[in-house]
Amino acid sequence: MTETGTTVSPSDQRLLTGLPAATAARASPSHPAPPTITDEERGTTAVEAYGNLPEASAQICRLLAALPPAQWDIDTAVAVCGLSRQETVGQLETLCDAGLAQRQGQHPVRGDLYGFHDDVRRRARVHAEAEETNQSHIRALACWLDWMLATTSSAERLLMPWRRMLSRDLSGVPAPAPFTDEDGALAWLQTHQGDLELAVYAAEDRRWLPLVWQLVHAAGPLFQRLPPLELWRNLHERGLKAARACGHQEAERELLTTGASVLRGLRDVTEAARWASLAFDSAEATADQRSKAQALYELGLCHDADGRAEPAIALLSDAISVWEGPPISDQHGAALCRLALGSISLEAARAEPALDHLRRAVWELTGVGDRFNAARAQARRGLAHAQLGHHERAISLLSEALDSFIAMDSPPQQARVLAALGETTVRQGNWRDARDYFQQARIVFERFDALAADQIMRRLRTLESPLPNVLEGRG
């Protein structure tokens, strides 16, 4: 791989690293066995069933057992088995009819789901290590990781086309992504969130370090839109360590800035600022203007989160100058800075300057196809109108933003806008609607932010003291 300074190809490097080890322990549990069948009885039955399989089906059983997830869909099996979809389905049916695999229902996004009992899976792995003298089970794992990386990267390109695209080290040509639009890409990422985590662990276990940071980097749309943030922090720390070990400074800077956003979301502003400062120093040393602008943006948001508005405004203004200047000329990055400047003006109750920033941010973000951040800017426009006493206009803009976040399935932003709608209707004197909005916000917040849910509950009890500013999930 050229990124790490070695001449070993990605596929050869993966095959030199040994047999499956710790990854199996991290796989999610399969469905529990019926209580009327003991493990010993099932194990005996599995041995007999496995012995009666045609060799092609036995090999498919061994290959699927090499995967970290305990459950897989047909797309996953096709990527690993190297067969056509029709042939793969036929092999899965053979395994199910033999009592080795299980049909585990249908998923609205993933389709038919399959899995092994834990004891069948263990025995299939033993057979794989004993019988796959050509290490095809290691290649099966590599194929799965390739497919996860390629498909996650396809989703990234659809959801964040303005983002810097870094190298992707693939050992083959994975199957096409099973989606063609933004909604399908986000749905795929959401439903494969657990598999993505397992993929990072599996690549780390094998010391396939380029895959570790590339998987984490490609999952950027998930980090932006969905909790849990603690998981994102964990994966960023692993990805950052891998990028450093590979000597890939550009990837390191990217992960430092996106990681800073995650840390701010976890309210660890000091650590977030440290990560952003490291990215800035590296960008300065290498004359990387794009990374410099990203680092300035994150540093500005960190200062704002820490209550230091003036240095935040200065840093964000500097970031705009870098984004808009040569050689970048990046409208999207500048628009995000204007969104942040509008939010800072809102915090200072300066609604008119906020509207100036936010109108332009909505226009520019919509122009580059960033529906998510355009909706964030639209919500803040609603808040600015609420500060000016334009309640009907505020409710209209906030409702429009809420519809967008519901369509994009972003619970954190939905909750924040619902809380803002509650506060706006309180100002109108519409107590009944306000309580409904706050109740909805509390229910959504309870899924990912207990502190914010508690704040909403206290607001519901009193409706007399000002609501803590939960809308500002900065970044």
Side-chain angles (χ1 to χ4, degrees), residues 161-367:
W162 52 85
R163 193 181 193 212
R164 172 184 274 174
M165 294 297 163
L166 300 183
S167 59
R168 300 290 183 250
D169 293 324
L170 302 172
S171 60
V173 182
F179 49 77
T180 57
D181 57 21
E182 291 184 39
D183 292 339
L186 184 60
W188 188 91
L189 286 175
Q190 287 176 290
T191 56
H192 287 79
Q193 181 174 306
D195 285 2
L196 178 65
E197 181 183 6
L198 290 173
V200 172
Y201 294 153
E204 190 177 57
D205 284 346
R206 304 233 151 261
R207 301 294 295 169
W208 296 339
L209 298 183
L211 283 181
V212 175
W213 71 255
Q214 288 168 21
L215 283 162
V216 176
H217 182 260
L222 270 180
F223 306 144
Q224 182 190 61
R225 301 189 189 198
L226 297 171
L229 289 170
E230 283 292 356
L231 171 59
W232 304 151
R233 178 177 190 158
N234 173 34
L235 295 187
H236 268 82
E237 288 171 347
R238 293 170 185 272
L240 182 59
K241 182 179 178 182
R244 284 172 171 163
C246 292
H248 199 306
Q249 293 185 346
E250 192 176 45
E252 181 180 346
R253 289 191 291 273
E254 284 281 314
L255 291 168
L256 282 168
T257 51
T258 57
S261 177
V262 170
L263 290 163
R264 279 190 296 103
L266 288 166
R267 302 182 177 92
D268 192 349
V269 178
T270 300
E271 185 67 0
R274 188 180 75 84
W275 282 42
S277 294
L278 289 171
F280 178 83
D281 292 342
S282 176
E284 281 276 83
T286 56
D288 182 346
Q289 293 295 93
R290 181 174 293 274
S291 290
K292 178 180 176 179
Q294 289 175 330
L296 286 168
Y297 170 72
E298 286 298 333
L299 283 168
L301 294 179
C302 288
H303 278 284
D304 181 39
D306 210 27
R308 298 191 294 271
E310 289 307 314
I313 291 170
L315 287 163
L316 290 165
S317 299
D318 288 346
I320 289 176
S321 297
V322 179
W323 280 121
E324 293 184 332
I328 308 177
S329 301
D330 188 303
Q331 178 180 318
H332 180 265
L336 288 180
C337 294
R338 291 190 177 94
L339 168 53
L341 288 170
S343 298
I344 292 172
S345 294
L346 277 177
E347 291 166 357
R350 299 173 62 238
E352 290 291 356
L355 278 174
D356 290 341
H357 290 301
L358 294 168
R359 285 192 193 101
R360 185 168 176 182
V362 170
W363 180 76
E364 290 178 339
L365 291 166
T366 302

Side-chain angles (χ1 to χ4, degrees), residues 10 33 86 89 91 96 115 119 142 157 190 241-242 272 277 291-292 336 344 349 380 415 434 446 455:
Q86 182 177 358
V89 170
Q91 292 292 352
C96 288
D119 57 308
R157 285 190 290 273
Q190 287 176 290
K241 182 179 178 182
S277 294
S291 290
K292 178 180 176 179
L336 288 180
I344 292 172
R380 282 157 177 75
E446 283 178 345
Q455 290 174 340

Side-chain angles (χ1 to χ4, degrees), residues 72-85:
W72 16 268
D73 52 33
I74 294 172
D75 288 328
T76 304
V78 169
V80 169
C81 298
L83 303 174
S84 69
R85 191 175 185 86

Side-chain angles (χ1 to χ4, degrees), residues 16-40:
L16 291 174
T17 53
L19 300 176
T23 305
R26 295 193 177 105
S28 55
S30 62
H31 289 240
T36 55
I37 303 176
T38 67
D39 286 344
E40 183 178 355

